Amino acid sequence: MTMQEAELIAELRRLPLRPSSVTRVLMVLDDPRNGAAAAADAVSPDVGLCARILHLANSPYFGASGRIGSIDRAVVTVGTSVVRSLAITTAAGLLGEAAKVPAGFWSHSGAVGVAASRLAGRFGLAAADALCAGLLHDLGVALAYQFDSEAY
């Protein structure tokens, strides 16, 4: 990856997310008749959310390392559970430039998410659902920190 590409990706991560897009994505995901294609359609108007999903789909965790270039394929790769988690963390204000979370929050949540996804099969659970549960398990902590970081 060249420096220009890295700078462009960094700028895309700073794009603000539109709350109306998050609401629409969650509504689509709440309807069991909808699949990945409907989720991708709901996500596509929000460039910031698309950038985050594409970045995650191309991460080492999913093994694609830069091969996924469309939002349709990215949603299929990460799964609708992960898209839901991104939408929820976005709605809670935990992503983006103005996000305020305790030190080490995302590294801890990421580690718990990966561990949960690795153990999920032993308990008959879907790895993607376990990943999302691990990522979101401390959501209340982050919200409490945003509300009153001193008392946190």
Side-chain angles (χ1 to χ4, degrees), residues 88-112:
I88 291 169
T89 54
T90 298
L94 301 179
L95 295 176
E97 193 82 8
K100 189 169 126 179
V101 295
F105 176 81
W106 285 117
S107 59
H108 169 74
S109 292
V112 171

PDB file of all heavy atoms in Angstrom, residues 88-112:
ATOM      1  N   ILE A  88     -24.621  -0.436  15.176  1.00  0.00           N
ATOM      2  CA  ILE A  88     -24.912  -0.129  16.582  1.00  0.00           C
ATOM      3  C   ILE A  88     -23.823   0.743  17.188  1.00  0.00           C
ATOM      4  O   ILE A  88     -24.108   1.728  17.863  1.00  0.00           O
ATOM      5  CB  ILE A  88     -25.112  -1.423  17.391  1.00  0.00           C
ATOM      6  CG1 ILE A  88     -26.411  -2.102  16.965  1.00  0.00           C
ATOM      7  CG2 ILE A  88     -25.104  -1.151  18.891  1.00  0.00           C
ATOM      8  CD1 ILE A  88     -26.583  -3.512  17.500  1.00  0.00           C
ATOM      9  N   THR A  89     -22.564   0.390  16.940  1.00  0.00           N
ATOM     10  CA  THR A  89     -21.481   1.202  17.496  1.00  0.00           C
ATOM     11  C   THR A  89     -21.478   2.595  16.881  1.00  0.00           C
ATOM     12  O   THR A  89     -21.135   3.569  17.548  1.00  0.00           O
ATOM     13  CB  THR A  89     -20.105   0.538  17.314  1.00  0.00           C
ATOM     14  OG1 THR A  89     -19.904   0.222  15.936  1.00  0.00           O
ATOM     15  CG2 THR A  89     -19.979  -0.718  18.145  1.00  0.00           C
ATOM     16  N   THR A  90     -21.896   2.689  15.629  1.00  0.00           N
ATOM     17  CA  THR A  90     -22.019   3.991  14.983  1.00  0.00           C
ATOM     18  C   THR A  90     -23.134   4.794  15.638  1.00  0.00           C
ATOM     19  O   THR A  90     -22.952   5.965  15.980  1.00  0.00           O
ATOM     20  CB  THR A  90     -22.321   3.812  13.484  1.00  0.00           C
ATOM     21  OG1 THR A  90     -21.234   3.122  12.883  1.00  0.00           O
ATOM     22  CG2 THR A  90     -22.530   5.145  12.798  1.00  0.00           C
ATOM     23  N   ALA A  91     -24.293   4.163  15.834  1.00  0.00           N
ATOM     24  CA  ALA A  91     -25.430   4.848  16.446  1.00  0.00           C
ATOM     25  C   ALA A  91     -25.101   5.296  17.861  1.00  0.00           C
ATOM     26  O   ALA A  91     -25.581   6.336  18.322  1.00  0.00           O
ATOM     27  CB  ALA A  91     -26.652   3.931  16.452  1.00  0.00           C
ATOM     28  N   ALA A  92     -24.276   4.525  18.556  1.00  0.00           N
ATOM     29  CA  ALA A  92     -23.891   4.879  19.929  1.00  0.00           C
ATOM     30  C   ALA A  92     -22.792   5.935  19.954  1.00  0.00           C
ATOM     31  O   ALA A  92     -22.379   6.370  21.035  1.00  0.00           O
ATOM     32  CB  ALA A  92     -23.431   3.624  20.671  1.00  0.00           C
ATOM     33  N   GLY A  93     -22.300   6.339  18.794  1.00  0.00           N
ATOM     34  CA  GLY A  93     -21.256   7.359  18.733  1.00  0.00           C
ATOM     35  C   GLY A  93     -19.877   6.838  19.083  1.00  0.00           C
ATOM     36  O   GLY A  93     -19.016   7.591  19.505  1.00  0.00           O
ATOM     37  N   LEU A  94     -19.666   5.535  18.911  1.00  0.00           N
ATOM     38  CA  LEU A  94     -18.381   4.947  19.284  1.00  0.00           C
ATOM     39  C   LEU A  94     -17.406   4.856  18.128  1.00  0.00           C
ATOM     40  O   LEU A  94     -16.284   4.401  18.308  1.00  0.00           O
ATOM     41  CB  LEU A  94     -18.603   3.551  19.881  1.00  0.00           C
ATOM     42  CG  LEU A  94     -19.486   3.512  21.123  1.00  0.00           C
ATOM     43  CD1 LEU A  94     -19.649   2.084  21.605  1.00  0.00           C
ATOM     44  CD2 LEU A  94     -18.920   4.389  22.215  1.00  0.00           C
ATOM     45  N   LEU A  95     -17.831   5.263  16.934  1.00  0.00           N
ATOM     46  CA  LEU A  95     -16.946   5.277  15.775  1.00  0.00           C
ATOM     47  C   LEU A  95     -16.874   6.687  15.235  1.00  0.00           C
ATOM     48  O   LEU A  95     -17.799   7.467  15.379  1.00  0.00           O
ATOM     49  CB  LEU A  95     -17.457   4.327  14.681  1.00  0.00           C
ATOM     50  CG  LEU A  95     -17.464   2.853  15.010  1.00  0.00           C
ATOM     51  CD1 LEU A  95     -18.085   2.059  13.870  1.00  0.00           C
ATOM     52  CD2 LEU A  95     -16.069   2.348  15.276  1.00  0.00           C
ATOM     53  N   GLY A  96     -15.798   6.990  14.592  1.00  0.00           N
ATOM     54  CA  GLY A  96     -15.644   8.303  13.984  1.00  0.00           C
ATOM     55  C   GLY A  96     -14.690   9.182  14.761  1.00  0.00           C
ATOM     56  O   GLY A  96     -14.182   8.817  15.813  1.00  0.00           O
ATOM     57  N   GLU A  97     -14.483  10.327  14.236  1.00  0.00           N
ATOM     58  CA  GLU A  97     -13.498  11.270  14.771  1.00  0.00           C
ATOM     59  C   GLU A  97     -13.818  11.699  16.198  1.00  0.00           C
ATOM     60  O   GLU A  97     -12.935  11.848  17.029  1.00  0.00           O
ATOM     61  CB  GLU A  97     -13.459  12.504  13.849  1.00  0.00           C
ATOM     62  CG  GLU A  97     -12.310  13.411  14.083  1.00  0.00           C
ATOM     63  CD  GLU A  97     -11.038  12.949  13.403  1.00  0.00           C
ATOM     64  OE1 GLU A  97     -11.047  11.995  12.622  1.00  0.00           O
ATOM     65  OE2 GLU A  97     -10.011  13.554  13.691  1.00  0.00           O
ATOM     66  N   ALA A  98     -15.089  11.918  16.504  1.00  0.00           N
ATOM     67  CA  ALA A  98     -15.466  12.453  17.812  1.00  0.00           C
ATOM     68  C   ALA A  98     -15.698  11.358  18.863  1.00  0.00           C
ATOM     69  O   ALA A  98     -16.074  11.652  19.985  1.00  0.00           O
ATOM     70  CB  ALA A  98     -16.731  13.292  17.668  1.00  0.00           C
ATOM     71  N   ALA A  99     -15.465  10.112  18.519  1.00  0.00           N
ATOM     72  CA  ALA A  99     -15.712   9.014  19.458  1.00  0.00           C
ATOM     73  C   ALA A  99     -14.816   9.152  20.681  1.00  0.00           C
ATOM     74  O   ALA A  99     -13.633   9.446  20.580  1.00  0.00           O
ATOM     75  CB  ALA A  99     -15.471   7.678  18.772  1.00  0.00           C
ATOM     76  N   LYS A 100     -15.415   8.946  21.833  1.00  0.00           N
ATOM     77  CA  LYS A 100     -14.687   9.065  23.091  1.00  0.00           C
ATOM     78  C   LYS A 100     -14.905   7.772  23.870  1.00  0.00           C
ATOM     79  O   LYS A 100     -16.005   7.513  24.361  1.00  0.00           O
ATOM     80  CB  LYS A 100     -15.233  10.275  23.851  1.00  0.00           C
ATOM     81  CG  LYS A 100     -14.459  10.656  25.066  1.00  0.00           C
ATOM     82  CD  LYS A 100     -14.952  12.008  25.550  1.00  0.00           C
ATOM     83  CE  LYS A 100     -15.337  11.907  27.007  1.00  0.00           C
ATOM     84  NZ  LYS A 100     -15.808  13.150  27.572  1.00  0.00           N
ATOM     85  N   VAL A 101     -13.868   6.942  23.932  1.00  0.00           N
ATOM     86  CA  VAL A 101     -13.947   5.669  24.651  1.00  0.00           C
ATOM     87  C   VAL A 101     -12.740   5.561  25.583  1.00  0.00           C
ATOM     88  O   VAL A 101     -11.727   6.214  25.378  1.00  0.00           O
ATOM     89  CB  VAL A 101     -13.991   4.459  23.683  1.00  0.00           C
ATOM     90  CG1 VAL A 101     -15.254   4.462  22.847  1.00  0.00           C
ATOM     91  CG2 VAL A 101     -12.774   4.407  22.795  1.00  0.00           C
ATOM     92  N   PRO A 102     -12.867   4.729  26.623  1.00  0.00           N
ATOM     93  CA  PRO A 102     -11.732   4.569  27.543  1.00  0.00           C
ATOM     94  C   PRO A 102     -10.501   4.014  26.820  1.00  0.00           C
ATOM     95  O   PRO A 102     -10.616   3.304  25.818  1.00  0.00           O
ATOM     96  CB  PRO A 102     -12.243   3.553  28.566  1.00  0.00           C
ATOM     97  CG  PRO A 102     -13.714   3.495  28.397  1.00  0.00           C
ATOM     98  CD  PRO A 102     -14.014   3.927  26.996  1.00  0.00           C
ATOM     99  N   ALA A 103      -9.336   4.302  27.349  1.00  0.00           N
ATOM    100  CA  ALA A 103      -8.083   3.793  26.780  1.00  0.00           C
ATOM    101  C   ALA A 103      -8.135   2.272  26.728  1.00  0.00           C
ATOM    102  O   ALA A 103      -8.565   1.612  27.679  1.00  0.00           O
ATOM    103  CB  ALA A 103      -6.907   4.248  27.632  1.00  0.00           C
ATOM    104  N   GLY A 104      -7.746   1.718  25.604  1.00  0.00           N
ATOM    105  CA  GLY A 104      -7.700   0.271  25.438  1.00  0.00           C
ATOM    106  C   GLY A 104      -9.044  -0.385  25.164  1.00  0.00           C
ATOM    107  O   GLY A 104      -9.128  -1.602  25.045  1.00  0.00           O
ATOM    108  N   PHE A 105     -10.097   0.425  25.019  1.00  0.00           N
ATOM    109  CA  PHE A 105     -11.446  -0.131  24.826  1.00  0.00           C
ATOM    110  C   PHE A 105     -11.524  -1.032  23.604  1.00  0.00           C
ATOM    111  O   PHE A 105     -11.993  -2.163  23.681  1.00  0.00           O
ATOM    112  CB  PHE A 105     -12.479   1.003  24.726  1.00  0.00           C
ATOM    113  CG  PHE A 105     -13.866   0.521  24.425  1.00  0.00           C
ATOM    114  CD1 PHE A 105     -14.669   0.022  25.434  1.00  0.00           C
ATOM    115  CD2 PHE A 105     -14.378   0.542  23.136  1.00  0.00           C
ATOM    116  CE1 PHE A 105     -15.950  -0.428  25.174  1.00  0.00           C
ATOM    117  CE2 PHE A 105     -15.653   0.090  22.856  1.00  0.00           C
ATOM    118  CZ  PHE A 105     -16.437  -0.398  23.881  1.00  0.00           C
ATOM    119  N   TRP A 106     -11.083  -0.530  22.451  1.00  0.00           N
ATOM    120  CA  TRP A 106     -11.229  -1.307  21.216  1.00  0.00           C
ATOM    121  C   TRP A 106     -10.289  -2.509  21.176  1.00  0.00           C
ATOM    122  O   TRP A 106     -10.659  -3.562  20.655  1.00  0.00           O
ATOM    123  CB  TRP A 106     -11.053  -0.421  19.990  1.00  0.00           C
ATOM    124  CG  TRP A 106     -12.260   0.429  19.772  1.00  0.00           C
ATOM    125  CD1 TRP A 106     -12.325   1.788  19.803  1.00  0.00           C
ATOM    126  CD2 TRP A 106     -13.599  -0.020  19.531  1.00  0.00           C
ATOM    127  NE1 TRP A 106     -13.613   2.208  19.590  1.00  0.00           N
ATOM    128  CE2 TRP A 106     -14.417   1.119  19.416  1.00  0.00           C
ATOM    129  CE3 TRP A 106     -14.194  -1.265  19.398  1.00  0.00           C
ATOM    130  CZ2 TRP A 106     -15.786   1.046  19.173  1.00  0.00           C
ATOM    131  CZ3 TRP A 106     -15.563  -1.347  19.166  1.00  0.00           C
ATOM    132  CH2 TRP A 106     -16.339  -0.204  19.050  1.00  0.00           C
ATOM    133  N   SER A 107      -9.090  -2.385  21.718  1.00  0.00           N
ATOM    134  CA  SER A 107      -8.200  -3.556  21.711  1.00  0.00           C
ATOM    135  C   SER A 107      -8.772  -4.653  22.604  1.00  0.00           C
ATOM    136  O   SER A 107      -8.723  -5.835  22.254  1.00  0.00           O
ATOM    137  CB  SER A 107      -6.780  -3.181  22.131  1.00  0.00           C
ATOM    138  OG  SER A 107      -6.756  -2.630  23.421  1.00  0.00           O
ATOM    139  N   HIS A 108      -9.334  -4.276  23.748  1.00  0.00           N
ATOM    140  CA  HIS A 108      -9.962  -5.264  24.635  1.00  0.00           C
ATOM    141  C   HIS A 108     -11.189  -5.884  23.960  1.00  0.00           C
ATOM    142  O   HIS A 108     -11.344  -7.119  23.938  1.00  0.00           O
ATOM    143  CB  HIS A 108     -10.363  -4.600  25.960  1.00  0.00           C
ATOM    144  CG  HIS A 108     -11.232  -5.468  26.808  1.00  0.00           C
ATOM    145  ND1 HIS A 108     -10.743  -6.560  27.496  1.00  0.00           N
ATOM    146  CD2 HIS A 108     -12.563  -5.416  27.066  1.00  0.00           C
ATOM    147  CE1 HIS A 108     -11.742  -7.144  28.144  1.00  0.00           C
ATOM    148  NE2 HIS A 108     -12.847  -6.465  27.896  1.00  0.00           N
ATOM    149  N   SER A 109     -12.060  -5.040  23.403  1.00  0.00           N
ATOM    150  CA  SER A 109     -13.266  -5.552  22.752  1.00  0.00           C
ATOM    151  C   SER A 109     -12.912  -6.443  21.563  1.00  0.00           C
ATOM    152  O   SER A 109     -13.547  -7.479  21.341  1.00  0.00           O
ATOM    153  CB  SER A 109     -14.159  -4.401  22.290  1.00  0.00           C
ATOM    154  OG  SER A 109     -14.682  -3.722  23.407  1.00  0.00           O
ATOM    155  N   GLY A 110     -11.909  -6.046  20.803  1.00  0.00           N
ATOM    156  CA  GLY A 110     -11.466  -6.862  19.668  1.00  0.00           C
ATOM    157  C   GLY A 110     -10.939  -8.217  20.117  1.00  0.00           C
ATOM    158  O   GLY A 110     -11.253  -9.251  19.512  1.00  0.00           O
ATOM    159  N   ALA A 111     -10.152  -8.224  21.185  1.00  0.00           N
ATOM    160  CA  ALA A 111      -9.612  -9.483  21.704  1.00  0.00           C
ATOM    161  C   ALA A 111     -10.726 -10.394  22.202  1.00  0.00           C
ATOM    162  O   ALA A 111     -10.726 -11.604  21.928  1.00  0.00           O
ATOM    163  CB  ALA A 111      -8.615  -9.207  22.830  1.00  0.00           C
ATOM    164  N   VAL A 112     -11.706  -9.829  22.904  1.00  0.00           N
ATOM    165  CA  VAL A 112     -12.832 -10.633  23.385  1.00  0.00           C
ATOM    166  C   VAL A 112     -13.645 -11.149  22.200  1.00  0.00           C
ATOM    167  O   VAL A 112     -14.073 -12.314  22.184  1.00  0.00           O
ATOM    168  CB  VAL A 112     -13.719  -9.825  24.359  1.00  0.00           C
ATOM    169  CG1 VAL A 112     -15.000 -10.574  24.700  1.00  0.00           C
ATOM    170  CG2 VAL A 112     -12.947  -9.494  25.629  1.00  0.00           C
TER     171      VAL A 112
END
